[in-house]
């Protein structure tokens, strides 16, 4: 604070130096602002390293290329490289990675508390011929283990992690017909998070369990329909939003791929809207219908029709009929 007062006093006494001193003041204030509790303010910091992933053989090397954003006054001494898996790959103070044994190593670069990360796959580069194709990669106890590439005779290619002869961990499968899966595997099945592209059908991104959609996921079909929500056993289960290319939309509960439970459906063709309960994609139970934004009917439904006790409105507020309905019509007694 005393330094700031001194600078202000000098500015007042000597106008000729005011511009220079004002510039120095701005630099000082900016420098102070960038430090919060002794650390660089993340607003002014940014860093990445390349490649984001790399593959090398044992005893081979690769260079980690840094890209540092605005981190002022850093030097080479501030740059700290670290291998989280030194038994698989080591890294020098200059960012040179050396493959040691088969597997995946995580390499970190830290500059003043800001850390970027990359993965390095180390393989033995063994070549094994199978009846269905050729494998190039890590082998342990006579089985495919670690990172490897399997080129099948039918044109399919798998690149990724293996465990005891089956895809396990992260991997990419590309089929001859250009379909593609990228994500996590367990015992040769999609399991975890992944993205599946069926070129002539749909693209799904989200959770998997034993080869089926599971957890939260998003799917977009070729016809531009799409669903975002919960899945179980490969079907829409739980809460989700389905948007049709026609403009219709449904927000609500699903059971085994069907609208079931509480939900809201908006019909684009006539701006009508239904809010209530569903069963097997049909309005079932209590629900409210709006036409052109105005309340039309509230009451019980059966298989998409007014059925049971309800109210019919004329202009959204005036009750036209209240009582029993059957087959979409009032029952007059």
């Amino acid at each position: 604070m005393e330094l700031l007062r001194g600078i202000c006093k000098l500015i007042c006494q000597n106008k000729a130096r005011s511009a220079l001193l004002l510039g120095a003041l701005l630099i000082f204030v900016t420098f102070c602002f960038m430090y919060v509790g002794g650390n660089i303010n993340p607003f002014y910091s940014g860093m990445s390293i390349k490649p984001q992933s790399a593959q090398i053989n044992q005893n081979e090397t690769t260079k980690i290329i840094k890209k540092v954003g605005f981190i002022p006054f850093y030097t080479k001494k501030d740059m700290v490289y670290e291998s989280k898996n030194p038994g698989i790959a080591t890294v020098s103070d200059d960012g040179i990675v050396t493959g040691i044994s088969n597997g995946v190593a995580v390499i970190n670069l830290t500059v003043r508390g800001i850390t970027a990360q990359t993965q390095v796959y180390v393989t033995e580069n063994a070549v094994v011929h199978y009846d269905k194709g050729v494998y190039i990669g890590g082998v342990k106890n006579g089985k495919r283990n670690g990172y490897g590439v399997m080129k099948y005779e039918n044109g399919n290619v798998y690149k990724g992690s293996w465990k005891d002869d089956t895809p396990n961990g992260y991997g990419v499968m590309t089929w001859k017909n250009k379909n593609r899966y990228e994500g996590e595997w367990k015992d040769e099945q999609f399991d975890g998070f992944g993205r599946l592209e069926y070129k002539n059908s749909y693209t799904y991104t989200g959770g998997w369990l034993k080869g089926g959609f599971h957890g939260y996921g998003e799917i977009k079909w070729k016809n531009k329909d799409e669903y975002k929500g919960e899945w179980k056993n490969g079907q829409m289960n739980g809460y989700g939003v389905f948007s049709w290319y026609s403009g219709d939309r449904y927000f609500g509960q699903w059971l085994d791929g069907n609208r079931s439970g509480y939900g809201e459906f908006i019909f684009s063709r006539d701006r009508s809207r239904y809010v209530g309960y569903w069963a097997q994609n049909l309005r079932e139970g209590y629900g409210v219908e709006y036409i052109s934004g105005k309340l039309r009917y509230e009451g019980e439904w059966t298989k998409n029709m007014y059925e049971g006790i309800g109210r019919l409105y004329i202009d959204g507020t005036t009750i036209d009929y209240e009582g029993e309905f059957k087959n979409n019509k009032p029952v007059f007694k």
Side-chain angles (χ1 to χ4, degrees):
M1 184 60 69
E2 292 298 324
L3 178 60
L4 292 177
R5 290 175 180 173
I7 293 175
C8 292
K9 185 176 180 180
L10 287 173
I11 291 175
C12 295
Q13 292 177 348
N14 194 333
K15 295 182 180 180
R17 299 179 183 176
S18 61
L20 181 61
L21 291 173
L22 182 59
L25 175 62
L26 291 175
I27 293 174
F28 176 80
V29 172
T30 302
F31 184 80
C32 292
F33 179 72
M34 289 191 304
Y35 280 86
V36 179
N39 295 320
I40 293 292
N41 187 331
F43 179 79
Y44 289 94
S45 305
M47 182 174 64
S48 62
I49 53 178
K50 293 183 179 181
Q52 293 183 346
S53 64
Q55 177 188 350
I56 59 176
N57 296 325
Q58 291 180 12
N59 300 318
E60 287 187 341
T61 61
T62 187
K63 172 69 174 177
I64 300 299
I65 303 173
K66 62 185 180 299
K67 182 180 179 183
V68 180
F70 184 57
I71 302 179
F73 312 120
Y74 81 93
T75 66
K76 186 177 180 180
K77 294 181 180 180
D78 296 315
M79 301 174 63
V80 179
Y81 291 92
E82 179 190 15
S83 173
K84 305 298 289 187
N85 312 93
I88 296 175
T90 60
V91 61
S92 69
D93 293 339
D94 296 325
I96 303 297
V97 179
T98 302
I100 303 299
S101 63
N102 188 62
V104 182
V106 176
I107 307 297
N108 288 345
L109 169 59
T110 302
V111 180
R112 291 189 177 179
I114 307 299
T115 300
Q117 188 177 90
T118 186
Q119 290 184 329
V120 177
Y121 295 85
V122 182
T123 67
E124 298 174 3
N125 212 27
V127 179
V128 183
H129 292 268
Y130 292 86
D131 292 338
K132 296 182 179 180
V134 178
Y135 172 79
I136 303 174
V139 175
K140 183 178 181 180
N141 298 327
K143 295 182 179 181
R144 290 166 287 187
N145 276 278
Y147 180 85
V149 178
M150 182 70 189
K151 297 181 179 180
Y152 297 89
E153 288 184 346
N154 60 9
N156 300 341
V157 178
Y158 172 80
K159 299 179 180 180
S161 296
W162 295 77
K163 182 180 179 181
D164 296 335
D165 261 350
T166 59
N168 272 276
Y170 183 84
V172 179
M173 182 74 174
T174 304
W175 286 266
K176 183 180 179 180
N177 59 8
K178 305 303 181 182
N179 292 337
R180 185 176 187 271
Y181 172 81
E182 179 175 358
E184 296 175 287
W185 298 70
K186 184 177 180 180
D187 298 333
E188 212 167 359
Q189 292 184 312
F190 311 151
D191 201 294
F193 181 84
R195 176 183 176 88
L196 176 65
E197 298 178 19
Y198 271 154
K199 293 297 182 181
N200 297 319
S201 184
Y202 63 82
T203 297
Y204 171 84
T205 305
W208 296 81
L209 181 65
K210 296 181 179 179
F213 307 155
H214 192 84
Y216 180 83
E218 300 181 3
I219 187 169
K220 188 171 184 177
W221 284 271
K222 195 73 173 179
N223 63 1
K224 298 184 179 180
D225 292 346
E226 61 180 50
Y227 170 82
K228 299 179 180 180
E230 297 175 288
W231 300 79
K232 185 178 180 181
N233 299 325
Q235 294 184 312
M236 295 174 281
N237 274 281
Y239 180 83
V241 178
F242 199 110
S243 302
W244 285 263
Y245 179 65
S246 63
D248 293 349
R249 299 190 75 187
Y250 172 78
F251 310 77
Q253 297 295 318
W254 297 79
L255 180 64
D256 296 335
N258 297 303
R259 298 188 295 276
S260 290
Y262 186 81
E264 176 180 353
F265 198 109
I266 300 175
F267 300 86
S268 62
R269 64 179 183 273
D270 57 3
R271 296 170 55 201
S272 63
R273 181 164 61 100
Y274 171 81
V275 182
Y277 289 89
W278 298 76
Q280 297 293 314
N281 291 327
L282 300 176
R283 287 166 278 189
E284 190 83 21
Y286 179 82
V288 180
E289 181 183 44
Y290 298 86
I291 303 294
S292 298
K294 295 181 179 180
L295 179 61
R296 175 59 177 168
Y297 172 82
E298 62 176 343
E300 297 176 305
W301 297 71
T302 298
K303 296 181 179 179
N304 275 348
M305 293 190 294
Y306 308 155
E307 190 91 15
I309 303 301
R311 293 177 179 175
L312 197 63
Y313 292 82
I314 297 177
D315 54 7
T317 56
T318 304
I319 297 176
D320 183 38
Y321 172 82
E322 181 175 7
E324 185 179 356
F325 287 79
K326 189 173 182 64
N327 294 328
N328 252 12
K329 297 179 181 179
V331 177
F332 297 101
K333 297 181 180 179

